[in-house]
């Protein structure tokens, strides 16, 4: 059985659509929701593990693309260049996975890569280009 973890970004007007239900009903895929979050007036982010027939998986991805859902693989790796990070803290508030935290004594920003769901938002927001997403 094929299995893959993916991150879905969908526009806020689609947050109420039964996307996951359709993946199960129309493509016979089993799903496990690992994380679901909504950024008000912007987008919804859903991290899913999908299992099933590979052909059905590919058809499901095509359906999602047709619905204008952006799909990223969770196998992407997000890294931080420690030489570029100035610990400004901008990334903390936007991370849907709470992968950043402030170290109490030093006030430095810690990046917990094992919590990261590779949504890419910190890459866009970091003014010092310290965060990078590898394909
Ligand atoms: S936004 Fe960039 S520079 Fe600021 S703490 Fe986060 S990674 Fe470091
Ligand atoms: S890519 Fe950045 S914002 Fe997204 S989950 Fe990972 S650390 Fe958080």
């Amino acid at each position: 059985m094929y299995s893959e973890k993916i991150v879905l970004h969908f526009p806020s007007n689609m947050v109420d659509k039964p996307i996951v239900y359709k993946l199960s009903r129309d493509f016979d895929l089993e799903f496990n929701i690992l994380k679901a979050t909504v950024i008000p007036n912007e987008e919804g982010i859903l991290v899913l593990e999908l299992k099933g027939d590979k052909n059905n998986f590919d058809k499901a991805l095509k359906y999602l693309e047709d619905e204008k859902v952006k799909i990223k693989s969770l196998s992407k790796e997000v890294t931080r260049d420690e030489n570029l990070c100035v610990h400004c803290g901008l990334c903390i508030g936007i991370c849907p996975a709470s992968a950043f935290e402030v170290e109490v004594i030093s006030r430095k920003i810690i990046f917990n890569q094992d919590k990261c769901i590779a949504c890419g938002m910190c890459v866009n927001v970091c003014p010092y280009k310290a965060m990078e997403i590898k394909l």
Side-chain angles (χ1 to χ4, degrees), residues 19 21-30 51-53 55-64:
I19 290 178
Y21 169 68
K22 267 187 83 87
L23 295 180
S24 167
R25 188 194 65 186
D26 294 0
F27 303 102
D28 199 24
L29 296 173
E30 289 175 31
K51 289 184 191 168
D53 179 80
N55 275 340
N56 287 349
F57 179 82
D58 292 342
K59 284 180 196 161
L61 290 201
K62 173 82 174 59
Y63 153 74
L64 290 170

Short mmCIF file of all heavy atoms in Angstrom, two decimals, residues 19 21-30 51-53 55-64:
data_model
loop_
_atom_site.label_atom_id
_atom_site.label_comp_id
_atom_site.label_asym_id
_atom_site.label_seq_id
_atom_site.Cartn_x
_atom_site.Cartn_y
_atom_site.Cartn_z
N ILE A 19 -12.98 18.50 1.62
CA ILE A 19 -11.90 17.98 0.77
C ILE A 19 -11.45 16.59 1.23
O ILE A 19 -11.32 15.66 0.43
CB ILE A 19 -10.71 18.96 0.80
CG1 ILE A 19 -11.08 20.23 0.06
CG2 ILE A 19 -9.46 18.34 0.19
CD1 ILE A 19 -10.00 21.27 0.06
N TYR A 21 -12.97 14.41 3.04
CA TYR A 21 -14.04 13.44 2.85
C TYR A 21 -14.04 12.92 1.41
O TYR A 21 -14.20 11.73 1.15
CB TYR A 21 -15.38 14.12 3.21
CG TYR A 21 -16.59 13.33 2.83
CD1 TYR A 21 -16.88 12.13 3.48
CD2 TYR A 21 -17.45 13.79 1.84
CE1 TYR A 21 -18.01 11.40 3.13
CE2 TYR A 21 -18.58 13.06 1.50
CZ TYR A 21 -18.85 11.87 2.14
OH TYR A 21 -19.96 11.15 1.79
N LYS A 22 -13.83 13.84 0.46
CA LYS A 22 -13.79 13.43 -0.96
C LYS A 22 -12.59 12.52 -1.24
O LYS A 22 -12.69 11.58 -2.03
CB LYS A 22 -13.72 14.67 -1.86
CG LYS A 22 -15.08 15.15 -2.33
CD LYS A 22 -14.97 16.25 -3.35
CE LYS A 22 -14.73 15.74 -4.74
NZ LYS A 22 -15.93 15.41 -5.50
N LEU A 23 -11.47 12.79 -0.60
CA LEU A 23 -10.30 11.94 -0.82
C LEU A 23 -10.60 10.51 -0.40
O LEU A 23 -10.15 9.55 -1.03
CB LEU A 23 -9.09 12.46 -0.02
CG LEU A 23 -8.54 13.83 -0.41
CD1 LEU A 23 -7.37 14.20 0.47
CD2 LEU A 23 -8.13 13.86 -1.87
N SER A 24 -11.36 10.39 0.65
CA SER A 24 -11.72 9.06 1.14
C SER A 24 -12.81 8.43 0.27
O SER A 24 -12.68 7.30 -0.18
CB SER A 24 -12.21 9.21 2.59
OG SER A 24 -12.82 8.04 3.01
N ARG A 25 -13.87 9.18 -0.03
CA ARG A 25 -15.03 8.63 -0.75
C ARG A 25 -14.72 8.37 -2.22
O ARG A 25 -15.02 7.30 -2.75
CB ARG A 25 -16.21 9.60 -0.63
CG ARG A 25 -17.51 9.03 -1.17
CD ARG A 25 -18.56 10.09 -1.35
NE ARG A 25 -18.16 11.06 -2.38
CZ ARG A 25 -18.83 12.17 -2.66
NH1 ARG A 25 -19.91 12.46 -1.98
NH2 ARG A 25 -18.41 12.99 -3.60
N ASP A 26 -14.09 9.35 -2.90
CA ASP A 26 -13.93 9.24 -4.35
C ASP A 26 -12.65 8.53 -4.76
O ASP A 26 -12.54 8.01 -5.87
CB ASP A 26 -13.92 10.64 -4.99
CG ASP A 26 -15.27 11.33 -4.85
OD1 ASP A 26 -16.18 10.72 -4.24
OD2 ASP A 26 -15.41 12.47 -5.31
N PHE A 27 -11.64 8.53 -3.88
CA PHE A 27 -10.35 7.93 -4.27
C PHE A 27 -9.94 6.78 -3.36
O PHE A 27 -8.84 6.25 -3.49
CB PHE A 27 -9.27 9.03 -4.29
CG PHE A 27 -9.62 10.17 -5.20
CD1 PHE A 27 -10.12 11.36 -4.70
CD2 PHE A 27 -9.49 10.05 -6.58
CE1 PHE A 27 -10.47 12.41 -5.53
CE2 PHE A 27 -9.83 11.09 -7.43
CZ PHE A 27 -10.32 12.27 -6.91
N ASP A 28 -10.84 6.42 -2.45
CA ASP A 28 -10.63 5.25 -1.60
C ASP A 28 -9.30 5.31 -0.83
O ASP A 28 -8.59 4.31 -0.72
CB ASP A 28 -10.67 3.99 -2.49
CG ASP A 28 -10.92 2.74 -1.66
OD1 ASP A 28 -11.48 2.87 -0.55
OD2 ASP A 28 -10.52 1.65 -2.10
N LEU A 29 -8.95 6.50 -0.37
CA LEU A 29 -7.70 6.66 0.37
C LEU A 29 -8.00 6.72 1.87
O LEU A 29 -8.97 7.33 2.29
CB LEU A 29 -6.98 7.94 -0.06
CG LEU A 29 -6.51 7.99 -1.51
CD1 LEU A 29 -5.96 9.38 -1.83
CD2 LEU A 29 -5.46 6.94 -1.80
N GLU A 30 -7.14 6.10 2.63
CA GLU A 30 -7.22 6.25 4.09
C GLU A 30 -6.44 7.51 4.46
O GLU A 30 -5.41 7.80 3.85
CB GLU A 30 -6.55 5.07 4.80
CG GLU A 30 -7.29 3.79 4.70
CD GLU A 30 -6.48 2.66 5.34
OE1 GLU A 30 -5.72 2.91 6.30
OE2 GLU A 30 -6.60 1.55 4.83
N LYS A 51 -2.96 7.01 2.60
CA LYS A 51 -2.57 5.64 2.28
C LYS A 51 -3.57 5.07 1.28
O LYS A 51 -4.77 5.34 1.38
CB LYS A 51 -2.63 4.75 3.53
CG LYS A 51 -1.56 5.01 4.52
CD LYS A 51 -1.67 4.01 5.65
CE LYS A 51 -0.77 4.40 6.80
NZ LYS A 51 -1.04 3.64 8.00
N GLY A 52 -3.06 4.27 0.35
CA GLY A 52 -3.96 3.63 -0.60
C GLY A 52 -3.24 3.25 -1.87
O GLY A 52 -2.01 3.19 -1.91
N ASP A 53 -4.02 3.00 -2.91
CA ASP A 53 -3.47 2.64 -4.21
C ASP A 53 -2.75 3.86 -4.82
O ASP A 53 -3.27 4.97 -4.78
CB ASP A 53 -4.65 2.20 -5.10
CG ASP A 53 -4.20 1.84 -6.48
OD1 ASP A 53 -3.71 0.72 -6.64
OD2 ASP A 53 -4.31 2.70 -7.38
N ASN A 55 -2.20 4.74 -7.91
CA ASN A 55 -2.97 5.38 -8.98
C ASN A 55 -4.03 6.32 -8.41
O ASN A 55 -4.23 7.43 -8.90
CB ASN A 55 -3.69 4.32 -9.84
CG ASN A 55 -2.78 3.80 -10.92
OD1 ASN A 55 -1.80 4.46 -11.25
ND2 ASN A 55 -3.09 2.62 -11.42
N ASN A 56 -4.72 5.83 -7.38
CA ASN A 56 -5.75 6.66 -6.74
C ASN A 56 -5.12 7.87 -6.06
O ASN A 56 -5.69 8.97 -6.08
CB ASN A 56 -6.53 5.85 -5.71
CG ASN A 56 -7.48 4.87 -6.37
OD1 ASN A 56 -7.70 4.95 -7.58
ND2 ASN A 56 -8.03 3.97 -5.60
N PHE A 57 -3.94 7.66 -5.48
CA PHE A 57 -3.24 8.77 -4.84
C PHE A 57 -2.93 9.86 -5.87
O PHE A 57 -3.18 11.05 -5.65
CB PHE A 57 -1.93 8.24 -4.21
CG PHE A 57 -1.11 9.29 -3.55
CD1 PHE A 57 -1.38 9.71 -2.25
CD2 PHE A 57 -0.04 9.88 -4.22
CE1 PHE A 57 -0.60 10.69 -1.64
CE2 PHE A 57 0.74 10.86 -3.61
CZ PHE A 57 0.45 11.26 -2.32
N ASP A 58 -2.41 9.44 -7.05
CA ASP A 58 -2.08 10.41 -8.10
C ASP A 58 -3.33 11.14 -8.59
O ASP A 58 -3.30 12.34 -8.85
CB ASP A 58 -1.38 9.70 -9.27
CG ASP A 58 0.01 9.20 -8.87
OD1 ASP A 58 0.54 9.69 -7.85
OD2 ASP A 58 0.55 8.32 -9.56
N LYS A 59 -4.43 10.38 -8.72
CA LYS A 59 -5.69 11.02 -9.16
C LYS A 59 -6.17 12.02 -8.11
O LYS A 59 -6.69 13.09 -8.45
CB LYS A 59 -6.78 9.95 -9.38
CG LYS A 59 -6.61 9.16 -10.66
CD LYS A 59 -7.74 8.16 -10.77
CE LYS A 59 -7.41 7.10 -11.81
NZ LYS A 59 -8.22 5.88 -11.66
N ALA A 60 -6.01 11.67 -6.85
CA ALA A 60 -6.43 12.58 -5.78
C ALA A 60 -5.62 13.87 -5.81
O ALA A 60 -6.16 14.97 -5.63
CB ALA A 60 -6.27 11.88 -4.42
N LEU A 61 -4.31 13.75 -6.08
CA LEU A 61 -3.47 14.96 -6.16
C LEU A 61 -3.91 15.84 -7.33
O LEU A 61 -3.93 17.06 -7.23
CB LEU A 61 -2.00 14.59 -6.34
CG LEU A 61 -1.29 13.96 -5.15
CD1 LEU A 61 0.23 14.12 -5.29
CD2 LEU A 61 -1.72 14.52 -3.81
N LYS A 62 -4.29 15.18 -8.44
CA LYS A 62 -4.77 15.93 -9.62
C LYS A 62 -6.06 16.70 -9.25
O LYS A 62 -6.22 17.87 -9.60
CB LYS A 62 -5.01 14.94 -10.76
CG LYS A 62 -5.67 15.52 -12.00
CD LYS A 62 -4.64 16.22 -12.88
CE LYS A 62 -5.19 16.71 -14.20
NZ LYS A 62 -6.27 17.63 -14.14
N TYR A 63 -6.95 16.01 -8.53
CA TYR A 63 -8.19 16.64 -8.09
C TYR A 63 -7.88 17.87 -7.22
O TYR A 63 -8.45 18.95 -7.40
CB TYR A 63 -9.05 15.63 -7.32
CG TYR A 63 -9.98 16.27 -6.32
CD1 TYR A 63 -11.12 16.96 -6.73
CD2 TYR A 63 -9.71 16.21 -4.94
CE1 TYR A 63 -11.95 17.57 -5.80
CE2 TYR A 63 -10.53 16.81 -4.02
CZ TYR A 63 -11.65 17.49 -4.45
OH TYR A 63 -12.47 18.11 -3.54
N LEU A 64 -6.93 17.71 -6.30
CA LEU A 64 -6.59 18.83 -5.41
C LEU A 64 -6.00 19.99 -6.20
O LEU A 64 -6.33 21.16 -5.96
CB LEU A 64 -5.58 18.35 -4.35
CG LEU A 64 -6.14 17.38 -3.30
CD1 LEU A 64 -5.02 16.79 -2.47
CD2 LEU A 64 -7.15 18.09 -2.40
#
